[in-house]
């Protein structure tokens, strides 16, 4: 599903990602584990085409990101580390705008919005402004939005950072339900426990090392 080959990102003299190699199979729930500053967010941003890579390649479903940007964008759903919801819009409006951007036909769009609100347990709050949501609800809405256009690959950048223990456990339950659906997922985290609980396979990135291990 996803193949990362010698992926490198340099910001002037700083190398944020240094020759990362990684393959994620269809249906795999992969964890990229590393401390703050290891380059996890930079990697996710390169895969989701938000940041240009310096060198190397990213291949998604057999297509290189260099040549098939538009079709690749449609295949990916992204939940960024930072909240980027429209805070003056309701949950439903945030999803509606996303569906329109992805050119989903109206009927399909409305049906998927209802489905995703139910999946993330936000149906009751659909008409509330997202600025009034808790951190956990905002994160769930970003997941609903990332899944709306039915991507093949979901990128989750630190999905539980900043959440309290109860909200984190709820998020893990939601991610386990996602996993049981067989979607391919790349999750980043700096919590070893989170990687152990959720992931089939874990890759460690650090300043000096990049290797892949099977937990447990
Ligand atoms: N836009 C940027 N400009 C310059 N340096 C950056 C930028 N974004 C990230 N970095 C640097 O790249 C490194 C990796 O950051 P990041 O990918 O955010 O790590 P992580 O998500 O693993 O905490 C850090 O040293 C960070 O300061
Ligand atoms: Mg990060």
């Amino acid at each position: 599903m996803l193949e990362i080959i010698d992926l490198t990102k340099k910001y002037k003299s700083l190398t944020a990602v240094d020759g990362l190699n990684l393959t994620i199979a269809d249906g795999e729930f992969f964890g990229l584990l590393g401390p703050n500053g290891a380059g996890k967010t930079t990697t996710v941003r390169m895969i989701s085409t938000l940041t240009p890579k310096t060198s190397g390649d990213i291949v998604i479903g057999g297509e290189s990101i260099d040549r098939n940007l538009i079709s690749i964008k449609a295949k990916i759903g992204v939940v960024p580390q930072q909240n980027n919801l429209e805070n003056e819009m309701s949950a439903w409006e945030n999803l509606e705008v996303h569906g329109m951007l992805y050119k989903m036909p109206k009927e399909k769009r409305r049906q998927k919005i209802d489905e995703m609100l139910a999946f993330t347990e936000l149906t009751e709050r659909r008409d509330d402004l997202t600025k009034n949501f808790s951190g956990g609800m905002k994160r769930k809405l970003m997941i609903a939005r990332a899944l709306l256009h039915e991507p093949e690959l979901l990128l989750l950048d630190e999905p539980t950072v900043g959440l309290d223990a109860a909200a984190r456990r709820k998020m893990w339950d939601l991610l386990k339900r996602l996993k049981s659906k067989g979607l391919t997922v790349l999750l980043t985290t700096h919590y070893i426990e989170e990687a152990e609980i959720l992931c089939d396979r874990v890759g460690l990135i650090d300043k000096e090392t990049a290797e892949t291990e099977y937990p447990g």
Side-chain angles (χ1 to χ4, degrees):
M1 167 58 64
L2 172 67
E3 205 179 339
I4 293 176
I5 304 143
D6 280 331
L7 184 64
T8 298
K9 176 69 182 185
K10 292 190 170 134
Y11 294 109
K12 294 186 179 155
S13 63
L14 185 138
T15 303
V17 177
D18 190 7
L20 179 68
N21 285 288
L22 186 65
T23 302
I24 302 180
D26 280 359
E28 194 168 33
F29 202 118
F30 187 90
L32 195 57
L33 179 67
N36 285 329
K40 302 181 298 296
T41 294
T42 304
T43 300
V44 168
R45 287 178 59 85
M46 286 190 282
I47 300 168
S48 55
T49 74
L50 291 168
T51 299
K53 58 189 166 57
T54 305
S55 61
D57 202 4
I58 298 167
V59 181
I60 297 171
E63 294 184 297
S64 166
I65 213 164
D66 291 331
R67 270 169 293 167
N68 303 287
L69 202 63
I70 290 167
S71 77
I72 279 186
K73 272 196 162 171
K75 288 184 190 173
I76 304 176
V78 191
V79 180
Q81 187 174 346
Q82 301 289 343
N83 169 20
N84 66 348
L85 296 166
E86 294 295 341
N87 289 310
E88 299 295 333
M89 287 186 189
S90 69
W92 187 89
E93 286 166 337
N94 266 278
L95 297 175
E96 172 75 350
V97 166
H98 181 88
M100 289 172 81
L101 281 173
Y102 279 78
K103 299 190 164 55
M104 295 173 74
K106 186 172 171 184
E107 206 172 309
K108 170 89 178 170
R109 196 168 74 224
R110 299 282 163 91
Q111 174 218 320
K112 282 298 289 184
I113 290 174
D114 288 348
E115 190 187 316
M116 286 302 115
L117 285 170
F119 179 68
T120 52
E121 298 170 321
L122 289 171
T123 304
E124 247 106 88
R125 308 296 300 268
R126 52 177 282 157
D127 296 321
D128 295 348
L129 296 185
T130 58
K131 68 176 174 190
N132 299 325
F133 280 13
S134 70
M137 288 166 60
K138 285 178 183 166
R139 209 64 64 85
K140 288 199 295 185
L141 181 58
M142 289 201 284
I143 291 176
R145 185 185 60 181
L147 294 171
L148 195 75
H149 58 282
E150 301 183 316
E152 294 169 27
L153 173 67
L154 180 66
L155 307 172
L156 294 164
D157 195 8
E158 304 244 21
T160 66
V161 78
L163 302 187
D164 63 37
R168 173 169 303 150
R169 220 157 293 127
K170 278 195 172 174
M171 180 58 72
W172 284 347
D173 287 342
L174 179 91
L175 296 179
K176 281 182 196 162
R177 279 190 278 134
L178 253 188
K179 182 175 179 169
S180 68
K181 290 178 177 228
L183 187 69
T184 311
V185 176
L186 170 60
L187 169 144
T188 81
T189 185
H190 64 273
Y191 298 114
I192 291 176
E193 192 191 0
E194 180 159 295
E196 277 183 338
I197 285 174
L198 295 171
C199 300
D200 302 319
R201 200 157 60 94
V202 176
L204 305 173
I205 54 167
D206 206 340
K207 299 246 151 42
E208 286 87 30
T209 58
E211 52 184 309
T212 303
E213 282 183 4
Y214 292 87

